[in-house]
Amino acid sequence: MHKLVTILLLLSATPAYPCATFALPDNRMPDFKKAQPQTIPNTIIAKSYEWHDESGLVFINKRGIKKQSLVLLPSDKPATWQSRFASLTFNQYGREFPVGGINEQGIVIEASILNLTQYPKPNNLPTVNELNFVQYLLDQAKSTDHAIELAKKVRITPIYAKLHYFVCSPEGSCGVIEFLDGKLITSSGAFIESPIALTNSPFKKCYNAWAERNMNITAIKYYRFINLYKLIINAIKSKNNNITTAWNILKWLTSNSFSPMQWQIVYEAGEKQVHFRTREHKSIKTVNLNNFELDCNKPALITSLISDATGDISKSFTPYTQKANYILVANSLRLLDKNISQEKISLIANYPQQFKCMLNKND
């Protein structure tokens, strides 16, 4: 009976699609307390994306593009900005709406479902939607603290999902951006002292449950975070913190999930290098953002997430087309809502057509 109650508690506390993101300091990183780094910091960030759909595109987004956010409500004021940094992103709902990615400063942003999210009520701030927000940060953030400051300058008006966000830098400064009770809540710091991981519950509640470390109902509710946190800390203490360990932790997450893994991603933030695999295409693919021309006088690039390629897939990228974006948007949105209007699909798919490359321009 006790085991049955425990299982029911776990099931009731677990979101339908539990994702997880975490960070590990690379073995090569020195002790920041003792000396200045003598090598390039290369924090490892990993993401398990558990959803109902495997499909998607990997984008190489260019620097120097003037943008305006997509708004659906006449009362919303769109945010405007220019992409200071190029980025590599994983997109399931169209260009400019990534689930996560890395920019050329090595800043990684990843989004996950948080059912307790309550976005701020309408105010005077310009707006972005919940995935446009990821691109907004990647386009401009040069550090974790900078990403948090940028988050304060806009208001999220969601199209579909309640999300929270994981942010991390090559140096190991990681943070969480959440919206609880209509307020922006952030947590950040050097994870080398206090690691940061993100599941599908508010970070501070998860961390407090870990700090208590007893098997009361609260701890059971956050069991996935607690066990993930144990793995991270053990890896750091044993100095077994490397890419292989990240993949092993991702494997553990998959084996302890109620939902199918769709994507697994491992970022080497300092190297601007990304490794990934998907549910039906398990070979590991690698892309380095440094291998591409990143100015906007050349088009954005795309490649499919789902292929049997392995190793370096840089040569598989082709110029972005509006047709490819439309197919991605239409297929993905119809899985969420089979009755979605053609007008809404076209609005989201055609949104990037407004962008302008501002290189060598004064306006």
Side-chain angles (χ1 to χ4, degrees):
M1 178 62 70
H2 176 72
K3 289 183 178 179
L4 176 60
V5 171
T6 299
I7 291 170
L8 291 174
L9 280 168
L10 293 177
L11 287 172
S12 65
T14 304
Y17 298 104
C19 297
T21 310
F22 62 91
L24 289 170
D26 189 286
N27 289 358
R28 296 172 294 174
M29 291 176 69
D31 187 337
F32 290 156
K33 294 179 181 179
K34 294 180 179 178
Q36 291 297 314
Q38 299 300 312
T39 59
I40 297 173
N42 193 38
T43 300
I44 297 167
I45 299 103
K47 167 73 176 285
S48 178
Y49 181 61
E50 295 163 29
W51 196 232
H52 52 65
D53 185 15
E54 180 188 20
S55 63
L57 293 175
V58 184
F59 277 75
I60 304 296
N61 309 283
K62 303 303 184 76
R63 68 169 84 95
I65 297 177
K66 185 177 181 180
K67 299 181 181 181
Q68 177 173 295
S69 63
L70 175 68
V71 297
L72 300 182
L73 298 176
S75 57
D76 287 340
K77 178 174 66 174
T80 59
W81 70 95
Q82 186 166 317
S83 56
R84 295 181 58 196
F85 307 117
S87 61
L88 181 152
T89 58
F90 294 88
N91 299 49
Q92 197 163 56
Y93 297 100
R95 182 179 174 185
E96 297 299 307
F97 306 117
V99 175
I102 182 171
N103 72 14
E104 59 182 308
Q105 295 292 105
I107 304 301
V108 173
I109 313 284
E110 278 288 346
S112 298
I113 292 287
L114 177 62
N115 289 329
L116 292 177
T117 290
Q118 292 181 13
Y119 296 112
K121 293 180 179 179
N123 53 37
N124 293 326
L125 292 175
T127 62
V128 295
N129 67 57
E130 68 271 34
L131 293 182
N132 212 177
F133 180 67
V134 176
Q135 192 66 58
Y136 162 83
L137 295 180
L138 289 171
D139 283 346
Q140 301 177 88
K142 56 186 178 182
S143 67
T144 295
D145 287 344
H146 189 208
I148 290 172
E149 288 304 309
L150 289 166
K152 297 175 182 178
K153 296 180 179 181
V154 294
R155 176 173 63 87
I156 293 180
T157 54
I159 293 177
Y160 177 80
K162 296 181 177 182
L163 302 176
H164 60 171
Y165 306 87
F166 184 97
V167 187
C168 205
S169 72
E171 296 78 19
S173 175
C174 299
V176 174
I177 297 172
E178 298 177 318
F179 300 90
L180 303 172
D181 298 322
K183 298 178 181 179
L184 171 66
I185 305 295
T186 63
S187 304
S188 62
F191 77 83
I192 203 162
E193 297 178 6
S194 179
I196 290 183
L198 197 63
T199 52
N200 298 97
S201 299
F203 171 73
K204 287 185 178 178
K205 288 187 176 182
C206 288
Y207 185 81
N208 289 340
W210 154 260
E212 293 174 8
R213 286 200 289 281
N214 56 55
M215 287 307 292
N216 57 23
I217 290 177
T218 300
I220 292 171
K221 184 177 181 181
Y222 302 120
Y223 86 104
R224 199 163 189 254
F225 176 91
I226 290 171
N227 284 286
L228 171 59
Y229 212 70
K230 287 179 182 177
L231 293 173
I232 296 168
I233 289 177
N234 288 340
I236 294 172
K237 286 182 176 178
S238 65
K239 300 190 182 300
N240 191 29
N241 39 304
N242 50 41
I243 292 175
T244 300
T245 299
W247 284 119
N248 288 338
I249 293 175
L250 288 171
K251 183 179 179 180
W252 177 86
L253 286 165
T254 299
S255 65
N256 286 271
S257 174
F258 296 100
S259 301
M261 178 278 291
Q262 301 297 347
W263 310 342
Q264 289 183 334
I265 305 167
V266 176
Y267 298 91
E268 294 183 80
E271 302 288 349
K272 285 78 171 180
Q273 185 156 267
V274 185
H275 315 274
F276 66 93
R277 61 188 176 195
T278 64
R279 177 171 54 86
E280 297 296 335
H281 302 270
K282 294 181 172 59
S283 60
I284 296 174
K285 303 152 193 62
T286 299
V287 186
N288 192 308
L289 187 57
N290 294 323
N291 290 340
F292 300 90
E293 293 184 31
L294 299 177
D295 285 338
C296 62
N297 48 20
K298 296 288 181 66
L301 300 171
I302 55 173
T303 193
S304 176
L305 258 167
I306 49 175
S307 78
D308 291 320
T310 187
D312 185 356
I313 62 164
S314 299
K315 293 183 179 179
S316 71
F317 282 80
T318 58
Y320 163 84
T321 66
Q322 194 276 335
K323 180 180 179 181
N325 197 48
Y326 181 88
I327 292 171
L328 177 67
V329 171
N331 290 343
S332 297
L333 291 184
R334 284 170 180 154
L335 282 176
L336 293 179
D337 179 6
K338 64 181 180 180
N339 297 316
I340 191 169
S341 69
Q342 186 65 43
E343 180 183 11
K344 195 168 186 179
I345 291 173
S346 295
L347 177 66
I348 293 171
N350 294 333
Y351 160 66
Q353 300 300 101
Q354 65 175 286
F355 295 166
K356 296 179 181 179
C357 180
M358 303 304 292
L359 290 182
N360 301 319
K361 294 184 179 181
N362 294 321
D363 56 344

